[in-house]
Amino acid sequence: MNANTQRGFQQRWVDLQNSEWGRNLRFMNYLKGEWIPCAQRWAHCYTNRVFHIGNTSTNRVESAHSSLKKWLASSTHKIDTLFLRYHTSIEGKVTELRKDLEDSRLKVFKLADGPPYGHLNMEVSLWAIELLMKERAREIVQRCGCRLHETHGLPCKCKMDALSDAGMELHPHHLHRFWSSLVYESPPDGAKWEDHDATERGIFAAMVEDVYRQGPAAVRNASQLLLPHIRPQVAGLLEPRESEAPKGRPPKRSNTRDPSWFEHERTRTAKRSKTNENTRKTHKTTPAG
């Protein structure tokens, strides 16, 4: 995985096959069937040619997921509560992003307050300057490889040495524009939240007008479809009885919920059908006379 060249990757794969691990046929067949065919996705000699800005795992996604779960605190919220907490979480992330961008614009990196990084101060991300300083201090054994340029869009050691030999300093245009885009802009005024309630009401009102235009038969069919949803007590749907022996308070992170009217009615109907079936099987008729 850590091989920096394809030739080195192939050589290490051959060495692995010739080692003691190569005698384990089950293990080697697993590697040949599952991992080697997709080496372009995990071997450094291939991933070092992809512009990923250091994101080589799902850590950022998992971190965002964990942060959201902390805001939610429970998985049994109503949809309105869920939306408000999710929206608050996003607003907190945006505020944190604004702060980081402003820090990069206002803070002067003292260690990089001179050549060749002086023109980058307060113009690009502080993290980019740190990466450049580490890259410049790196020792080249055989060849540079230009890994930082390919993966992060930053000048690698050989490029920085070439600029230094030419008496030039680093400028923002030598870096990928990702590192100098320090302005977070809100959506335009036209991009507002859609009023879903008003939209749904409009759609329903249009459907009611269509039903009226189709005549009494369509009105009767629509009424029969809507009756169980609007007036469940008329349609024969009953509220579930409260349990006389509850099992105690559910766990804080429980995903369970109380059954709805429809689920309760379906369960009650299934139990009644099963009881009737058992009764028919056990019923014995008495012979006449």
Side-chain angles (χ1 to χ4, degrees), residues 146-208:
C146 303
R147 175 182 177 182
L148 192 66
H149 175 71
E150 298 290 343
T151 59
H152 290 71
L154 299 173
C156 58
K157 182 173 176 59
C158 67
K159 295 184 180 297
M160 286 190 286
D161 291 344
L163 290 174
S164 180
D165 294 340
M168 301 174 60
E169 297 185 9
L170 290 171
H171 289 266
H173 67 267
H174 291 130
L175 284 64
H176 191 278
R177 61 187 180 89
F178 169 82
W179 303 104
S180 56
S181 301
L182 300 181
V183 178
Y184 178 85
E185 297 181 354
S186 299
D189 295 337
K192 298 182 180 297
W193 291 103
E194 180 183 359
D195 189 351
H196 294 283
D197 292 338
T199 302
E200 294 295 335
R201 286 194 296 268
I203 294 175
F204 183 78
M207 293 175 62
V208 171

Side-chain angles (χ1 to χ4, degrees), residues 23 27 34 144 165 187:
R23 302 175 185 175
F27 174 67
E34 299 292 336
C144 176
D165 294 340

Side-chain angles (χ1 to χ4, degrees), residues 36 38 72 84 129 207 281:
I36 298 302
C38 61
L72 297 180
L84 290 176
I129 300 179
M207 293 175 62
K281 288 182 179 180

Side-chain angles (χ1 to χ4, degrees), residues 196-245:
H196 294 283
D197 292 338
T199 302
E200 294 295 335
R201 286 194 296 268
I203 294 175
F204 183 78
M207 293 175 62
V208 171
E209 293 294 332
D210 291 341
V211 170
Y212 278 131
R213 282 195 294 267
Q214 294 179 15
V219 173
R220 182 169 55 254
N221 293 334
S223 299
Q224 293 176 355
L225 293 175
L226 293 177
L227 185 61
H229 299 274
I230 300 178
R231 298 178 180 176
Q233 65 278 5
V234 178
L237 299 178
L238 304 177
E239 284 278 10
R241 291 184 300 177
E242 185 176 354
S243 176
E244 298 178 357

Side-chain angles (χ1 to χ4, degrees), residues 39-223:
Q40 293 83 358
R41 302 180 184 179
W42 52 267
H44 288 180
C45 60
Y46 297 104
T47 59
N48 287 348
R49 296 293 177 264
V50 179
F51 182 70
H52 54 66
I53 321 178
N55 298 317
T56 57
S57 66
T58 59
N59 289 346
R60 295 188 67 182
V61 178
E62 297 294 342
S63 176
H65 189 196
S66 176
S67 177
L68 176 60
K69 289 171 66 176
K70 291 179 180 179
W71 275 95
L72 297 180
S74 175
S75 58
T76 57
H77 290 304
K78 296 184 294 183
I79 187 63
D80 55 344
T81 305
L82 174 66
F83 175 80
L84 290 176
R85 295 202 175 191
Y86 179 77
H87 189 61
T88 305
S89 173
I90 297 299
E91 287 184 334
K93 288 296 182 182
V94 171
T95 302
E96 183 179 352
L97 177 60
R98 289 179 183 273
K99 177 182 179 299
D100 293 340
L101 295 180
E102 289 299 327
D103 287 344
S104 296
R105 182 185 291 109
L106 299 177
K107 289 184 179 180
V108 177
F109 200 165
K110 296 298 183 180
L111 298 178
D113 198 18
Y117 313 105
H119 297 286
L120 302 180
N121 251 323
M122 305 176 67
E123 294 291 339
V124 302
S125 171
L126 298 179
W127 185 42
I129 300 179
E130 292 181 1
L131 291 176
L132 289 173
M133 296 178 67
K134 293 179 180 179
E135 177 69 9
R136 194 160 186 261
R138 180 172 64 90
E139 296 183 2
I140 299 179
V141 180
Q142 294 180 346
R143 54 189 298 270
C144 176
C146 303
R147 175 182 177 182
L148 192 66
H149 175 71
E150 298 290 343
T151 59
H152 290 71
L154 299 173
C156 58
K157 182 173 176 59
C158 67
K159 295 184 180 297
M160 286 190 286
D161 291 344
L163 290 174
S164 180
D165 294 340
M168 301 174 60
E169 297 185 9
L170 290 171
H171 289 266
H173 67 267
H174 291 130
L175 284 64
H176 191 278
R177 61 187 180 89
F178 169 82
W179 303 104
S180 56
S181 301
L182 300 181
V183 178
Y184 178 85
E185 297 181 354
S186 299
D189 295 337
K192 298 182 180 297
W193 291 103
E194 180 183 359
D195 189 351
H196 294 283
D197 292 338
T199 302
E200 294 295 335
R201 286 194 296 268
I203 294 175
F204 183 78
M207 293 175 62
V208 171
E209 293 294 332
D210 291 341
V211 170
Y212 278 131
R213 282 195 294 267
Q214 294 179 15
V219 173
R220 182 169 55 254
N221 293 334
S223 299

